[in-house]
């Protein structure tokens, strides 16, 4: 229940920031540096008071489609939160009156838009396409902080002497 602006009526100027945003989305999704994400414009949606989008999964329209990017344009509105569901629960994104809010999530995630209570909620949606290998090259993640922390924890775990569960003197 929303207004759909035809894609051929929309011109988007990222001001040179799209590569940075896509790289951030790649990292947030845990994808290796051996791949890149590309953004394919899908639609512009305008929600007015009372409009919403029921919980759904996006249709995968391309073999390389991995995720969805929703850009909530700055607007004075209440309600209309984007809610993304996954195995860990749900995350809610309200948008902002003064800044664009970008949310990337895997295409198979159930998501919804709550009813808009006041004003207009305006979004641009993109299919995120993966380009290149999602399998890391040897050494591709060596400098990543999370990998270093994990390696340290594993070394500590396996270096710790195992304590027996029962007293062997009985």
């Amino acid at each position: 229940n929303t207004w759909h602006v035809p894609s051929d009526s929309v011109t988007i100027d990222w001001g040179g920031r799209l590569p940075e945003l896509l790289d951030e989305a790649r990292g947030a999704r845990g994808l290796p540096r051996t791949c890149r994400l590309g953004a394919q414009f899908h639609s512009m949606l305008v929600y007015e008071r009372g409009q919403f989008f029921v919980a759904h999964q996006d249709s995968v329209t391309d073999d390389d489609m991995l995720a969805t990017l929703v850009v909530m344009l700055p607007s004075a509105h209440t309600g209309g939160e984007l809610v993304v569901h996954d195995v860990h629960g749900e995350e809610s994104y309200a948008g902002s009156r003064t800044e664009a809010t970008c949310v990337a999530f895997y295409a198979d995630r159930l998501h919804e838009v709550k009813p808009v209570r006041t004003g207009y909620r305006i979004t641009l949606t993109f299919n995120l396409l993966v380009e290149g290998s999602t399998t890391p090259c040897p050494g591709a993640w060596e400098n990543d902080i999370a990998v270093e922390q994990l390696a340290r924890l594993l070394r500590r775990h396996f270096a710790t002497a195992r304590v027996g569960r029962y007293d062997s003197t009985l």
Side-chain angles (χ1 to χ4, degrees):
N1 185 13
T2 182
W3 297 102
H4 180 267
V5 178
S7 59
D8 59 356
S9 299
V10 179
T11 302
I12 302 166
D13 181 358
W14 287 94
R17 297 210 49 231
L18 182 59
E20 175 187 337
L21 176 68
L22 293 174
D23 192 52
E24 186 178 325
R26 180 205 47 79
R29 301 282 56 89
L31 296 168
R33 292 185 181 106
T34 55
C35 70
R36 290 193 169 294
L37 292 179
Q40 177 186 65
F41 180 62
H42 183 266
S43 60
M44 180 177 187
L45 302 173
V46 180
Y47 298 78
E48 63 183 348
R49 190 174 142 222
Q51 291 184 316
F52 59 94
F53 209 129
V54 297
H56 66 286
Q57 289 178 308
D58 289 337
S59 300
V60 176
T61 57
D62 187 293
D63 288 343
D64 294 330
M65 184 176 167
L66 178 74
T68 297
L69 172 65
V70 175
V71 179
M72 293 178 268
L73 299 178
S75 64
H77 70 279
T78 60
E81 297 84 359
L82 170 65
V83 180
V84 180
H85 305 267
D86 68 18
V87 295
H88 304 294
E90 61 184 45
E91 293 262 354
S92 182
Y93 305 91
S96 168
R97 291 175 176 256
T98 58
E99 298 177 358
T101 303
C102 301
V103 180
F105 52 89
Y106 286 112
D108 66 349
R109 296 296 189 260
L110 194 65
H111 58 284
E112 62 186 298
V113 175
K114 297 295 187 178
V116 171
R117 292 189 302 273
T118 63
Y120 293 89
R121 177 186 187 268
I122 306 163
T123 63
L124 304 173
T125 63
F126 298 83
N127 298 329
L128 292 181
L129 310 177
V130 67
E131 302 165 356
S133 174
T134 57
T135 304
C137 296
W141 287 350
E142 284 178 0
N143 296 324
D144 283 358
I145 293 170
V147 173
E148 289 177 24
Q149 289 173 339
L150 177 60
R152 186 172 22 85
L153 290 170
L154 286 170
R155 281 192 295 274
R156 184 179 346 152
H157 172 78
F158 288 109
T160 304
R162 184 174 177 266
V163 177
R165 293 181 76 176
Y166 303 102
D167 186 350
S168 60
T169 60
L170 293 179

